[in-house]
Amino acid sequence: MALIVQKYGGTSVGTTERIEKVAEKLIATREAGHDVVVVVSAMSGETNRLIELAKAINPRPPARELDVLVSTGEQVTIALLAMALEKRGCPARSYTGAQVRILTDSAYSKARIQDIDAKAIRKDLSEGRVVVVAGFQGVDETGAITTLGRGGSDTTAVALAAALKADECQIYTDVDGVYTTDPRVVDKARRLDRITFEEMLELASLGSKVLQIRAVEFAGKYQVPLRVLSTFEEGPGTLITLEEDNMEEPLISGIAFNRDEAKITVLGVPDKPGIAWTILGAVADANIEVDMIVQNISTEGLTDFTFTVHTNDYDRALEIVQKTATEMGAREVLGNSKIGKISLVGVGMRSHAGVASKMFRTLADEGINIQMISTSEIKISAVVEEKYLELGVRALHTAFGLDREEGTA
Ligand code: ADP
Ligand code: ASP
Ligand code: MG
């Protein structure tokens, strides 16, 4: 008998009919002889709806109250799912994050899990219940409700699996696994049977929202066997695994892309020590995270400095940089939020050269100009004009041999 943590995302619990279907799947897992803890998201669209409600009252809602509000989405689903289980004669009990005591820090809307008290859950399991836990939420040490960031139910599931030492954590969603790229954008995307934690971490952090990045971090750290599967069809899904020695790795495992970045350029900055610190220090002081950074070589004592931030922070960052630039005597500040980032990810890159040049040639052949580049051991990212993002992803998907053969899934 195994202990399995299953997580069902928003689409999978999007209607009462679907919640009933999830109840049936859980009962089937139990009948196969397993103990199950299930984590659910809010019904699809609900979290967005709640955020809109808040914004209708206050465009910048107090962070504490926003978390109180958005955490209610998951509370609805746990109760409905527990009812659907009980109706079928399956004993079940629902828990909010605070009731379990999923202890987090106090960083509202992006809290990190610090500790999970698994006692009540273990007791319920030993008494034959299915335990239904609200994803995406926790409680800080003062008792305030916190949430874990968009997509955070994945992290709740993995953290519970780690705390309970579950045999597997299964993420049920609306696609049947992790694909070479988003299958909703590239119809030739191919499902992967397996992918390493390291690659999945890069894909998640570079824009593939199939798993929340913190869930992958947690699974890697605590070695939780993690699988992504479809709620709606049978199949093996994708297993997230450790990298194995002497396994032939493909050059590229996947392509991530991201429209949520904006670029800020400071032109004509006097080139002297401390430029990066002066510009980025002011941005960091405002709690804005910076992603890519490029500083040009200087000509005649002047240089240009470019960096990217999340589009949500763009207006604020631009305002701050305009002020700093004036103080520094820079010539001009330019901003562009119509950019996109394409990233190739693969552990195979470690042992093969030539990925970058092939990427750049492929984009050039499509007439796509590269605005910024950044690399690490297992990824290469390029910033391009947003309108060419999907074209670029498709071209690279084909060029790196990732396209699915006709007639296969
Ligand atoms: P859930 O509500 O179940 O958490 P999400 O919408 O958060 O589901 O994540 C699933 C979605 O992730 C898919 O519908 C798909 O469009 C998107 N996605 C992005 N990149 C990938 C990828 N590489 N493989 C699979 N799905 C991806
Ligand atoms: N309901 C939350 C969201 O929409 C958490 C999740 O679904 O994982 O982001
Ligand atoms: Mg999700």
Side-chain angles (χ1 to χ4, degrees), residues 191-407:
R191 185 181 58 81
L192 300 163
D193 284 322
R194 50 181 284 281
I195 185 166
T196 67
F197 282 111
E198 216 183 345
E199 289 168 322
M200 194 63 239
L201 202 57
E202 288 283 5
L203 287 176
S205 72
L206 294 164
S208 303
K209 69 162 186 171
V210 60
L211 284 175
Q212 199 199 31
I213 175 165
R214 283 187 190 162
V216 187
E217 267 169 12
F218 233 98
K221 188 164 165 198
Y222 296 98
Q223 308 221 343
V224 177
L226 183 62
R227 196 183 286 276
V228 176
L229 303 134
S230 164
T231 307
F232 307 107
E233 48 193 279
E234 291 291 318
T238 301
L239 186 66
I240 325 292
T241 60
L242 293 169
E243 191 174 337
E244 287 165 30
D245 287 344
N246 56 44
M247 182 175 283
E248 190 55 46
E249 295 289 353
L251 198 52
I252 300 299
S253 294
I255 304 180
F257 53 91
N258 175 3
R259 294 183 178 80
D260 301 336
E261 270 183 60
K263 185 174 86 162
I264 297 179
T265 303
V266 189
L267 291 172
V269 196
D271 193 8
K272 56 185 184 206
I275 305 174
W277 171 68
T278 313
I279 299 175
L280 296 182
V283 174
D285 287 344
N287 255 326
I288 296 174
E289 258 180 68
V290 168
D291 182 28
M292 286 168 133
I293 305 170
V294 174
Q295 182 179 336
N296 289 354
I297 50 165
S298 71
T299 43
E300 291 162 14
L302 294 178
T303 187
D304 304 330
F305 189 87
T306 304
F307 63 95
T308 64
V309 295
H310 194 282
T311 43
N312 289 346
D313 295 323
Y314 175 58
D315 290 340
R316 255 185 340 128
L318 197 58
E319 213 173 282
I320 293 166
V321 173
Q322 259 150 355
K323 192 161 161 277
T324 321
T326 313
E327 287 162 11
M328 293 171 87
R331 177 155 46 87
E332 196 181 356
V333 177
L334 302 176
N336 183 355
S337 59
K338 299 258 177 302
I339 58 163
K341 185 168 74 173
I342 306 177
S343 307
L344 304 182
V345 173
V347 289
M349 258 184 236
R350 281 201 193 109
S351 45
H352 296 274
V355 178
S357 62
K358 186 166 175 177
M359 178 184 199
F360 304 155
R361 196 184 62 217
T362 306
L363 293 174
D365 286 347
E366 297 293 332
I368 301 174
N369 187 39
I370 300 173
Q371 303 181 4
M372 293 171 90
I373 296 165
S374 83
T375 64
S376 76
E377 211 192 1
I378 66 159
K379 74 120 209 273
I380 302 179
S381 303
V383 168
V384 301
E385 211 178 317
E386 187 178 344
K387 67 178 178 202
Y388 297 128
L389 188 68
E390 293 189 8
L391 172 66
V393 173
R394 280 198 196 93
L396 291 164
H397 199 268
T398 304
F400 282 91
L402 298 176
D403 288 357
R404 149 177 77 83
E405 284 163 32
E406 288 302 323

Side-chain angles (χ1 to χ4, degrees), residues 158-204:
V158 176
L160 272 170
L164 292 162
K165 301 199 172 43
D167 295 283
E168 189 163 295
C169 181
Q170 303 173 340
I171 306 290
Y172 283 93
T173 182
D174 54 6
V175 283
D176 64 345
V178 177
Y179 277 66
T180 46
T181 192
D182 190 340
R184 296 192 196 287
V185 172
V186 177
D187 58 9
K188 288 183 184 151
R190 193 159 42 80
R191 185 181 58 81
L192 300 163
D193 284 322
R194 50 181 284 281
I195 185 166
T196 67
F197 282 111
E198 216 183 345
E199 289 168 322
M200 194 63 239
L201 202 57
E202 288 283 5
L203 287 176

Side-chain angles (χ1 to χ4, degrees), residues 7-10 40-43 45-48 51 70 73-74 135-136 149-155 212:
K7 177 256 170 176
Y8 292 87
V40 281
S41 290
M43 296 168 80
E46 182 62 8
T47 309
N48 288 341
I51 294 171
V70 295
E74 274 70 12
F136 178 57
R150 299 307 303 265
S153 299
D154 297 336
T155 304
Q212 199 199 31

